[in-house]
Amino acid sequence: MKPYATWKYVLLIATVAIGVLYALPNLFGDEPAVQISSQSGDPLPPGFGDEVGKALAGASITSTGSAVVEQRQVVRFADEVAQLRAAEVLKRELGNKYVVALNLAPRTPAWLRAVGGRPMALGLDLRGGVHFLINVDIDDVRRKAVDNLLRDLPSALRNADIFYKSRKRNGDAAEIEFEDPAALEAARKLIARDHNELVLAVPPDAPLVLQARLSNQETQRIQTFAVQQNLTTLRNRVNELGVAEPVVQRQGANRIVVQLPGVQDPAEAIGLLKATATLEYRAVVEGGGEFFYERGTRRPVMLSRDTIAAGSQLLDAAPTVDEDGSPAVSVTLDGAGAKKMLDFTQKSVGKPMAVLFRETKYETTYDAEGKPVRKVVNIEEIISVATIRGVFGKRFQTTGLTSKEAHDLAILLRAGALAAPVEIIEQRTIGPSLGADNIRQGFAAAALGLALVAAFMAFYYRVFGLFAIAALLMNLVIVVAVLSLMQATLTMPGIAGIVLHMGIAVDANVLIYERIREELRNGNSPHTAIQAGYDRAFLTIADANVTVLIGTVVLFALGAGPVKGFAITLAIGIISSQFTAIVGSRALAQLVFARRKMTDVPVW
């Protein structure tokens, strides 16, 4: 056998060592913890940990450790009883300014955390919790867009003294009928000049009717904005639940997945997701109005009782800069809101206008006996007061803000209310005991699969079978390490991917060993047969793995959450098996047989 390159041994040892290092955190397990974060998302104040410690000490609750992790205070406890008691005490003592969430904190040693070692995250099916699949009503978004056209276009025509006969909706088009072709042509030119997002047409059977449709690009933009606004709104609402690691993400064109680990009461989550919120633009007055408080400063400001425009009339909001390059928020209103805003600003230049945020949500309070009580809370606070510098209507800017304030205000404006109706089309509740059972069954399946594969390989290929087993163990270590480094969420389909990849991974060794047997039948010496087996089986192994990888890419591209997890796990395992089966098992064969005189290869 030819000498094996030293650098390959070094690469193998280094890879396995790094794999063991970053797979280790998964052996230490978790312990009950309480996670505390600021309701506003700002960093916790100095000395906050001492405040938490005093609250726990006053209730005779002992923690096993406390530290700030990513702007959140994480307090650990010896058991779940202490964890639950601590959560109740902290919610009561800290109030609604902070979000108190139950969590499982890893027991990873400090030296491992210092080098970035973290255990894999567990999915909802392994931890327990509530899963919602929410559908966003895109048809309603389209209907609202056409309704806006039916309000905006006739108003623009009246302002230009272009008279029309009637207007109506026809599917996804706004139709305006005219008395004569001249009026229609004048309207077409006006609308085409001011609305490049519209596609205009005259039906052959109705020569005096002008149809206006949103372009495909504009339709897609409105739909994407509606789903994104709902996504932001739902994410903000989920934060109110105090869930440690919630998942709120878009799935497909018009669906949103909400996963709440550890939550066992779906009614509470549904109530929060359906809470209402809106925005109102009002004039600041000196008398005859009503007082509201500014967010943050709590300064009282008197606002007019009349609303200029409401959040339901908001079409878009984005952080931008004004003429001087200062931070601002660009706002777009629909036709009705734009008209009222124009009428108001024409007579109010130099006067202040406020943005009032209204929200109805659920909060937990505590009675005299310390029992939690859920109640409906109405929040009314001013998020912005700005001076009107000029006349505007449909589009305008709110200025006098810092960059962060402009960014936050744009989010609040977009996330104040749902942009389109939502419907919960799928709901699942997974208990913590079921999650624990899933973990046990999943790992039992993985252990059984490994044992059966090892038994077959050891029996059929003898010493080379042991090499394959060692390579497979290296492979599993590398897979776990990569998943931990990526912080990929492990689910039951992910465990299935690991079990499946063990059979696929050992196939590479089977191809090598069968090639060795073929070389022996051709009359080659044992050393030559081993050398040729590893050299000539490479392309066959690579071809088989590439074929499977193509399948995993398709699964990842077209599949949803669990399917993607399966595809990722399987792909990582296949890629690492290419290395461990060829480099790992060959290194072992080289160490054992290279300097030994052989008359036969020890395989059946």
Side-chain angles (χ1 to χ4, degrees), residues 31-36 44 52 65-77 103-106:
E31 60 185 345
V34 170
Q35 172 182 294
I36 310 162
L44 297 172
V52 171
S66 178
V68 176
V69 180
E70 297 178 352
Q71 298 186 359
R72 292 174 290 188
Q73 191 81 29
V74 178
V75 187
R76 301 165 181 259
F77 300 92
N103 196 2
L104 290 175

Side-chain angles (χ1 to χ4, degrees), residues 451-497:
L452 292 176
V453 169
F456 171 78
M457 294 300 292
F459 171 77
Y460 196 70
Y461 293 107
R462 300 168 69 182
V463 176
F464 281 92
L466 299 179
F467 297 161
I469 296 168
L472 184 56
L473 291 175
M474 294 180 203
N475 189 9
L476 288 174
V477 168
I478 292 172
V479 169
V480 173
V482 172
L483 291 174
S484 300
L485 282 171
M486 292 173 57
Q487 280 299 282
T489 301
L490 183 66
T491 61
M492 283 298 290
I495 294 177

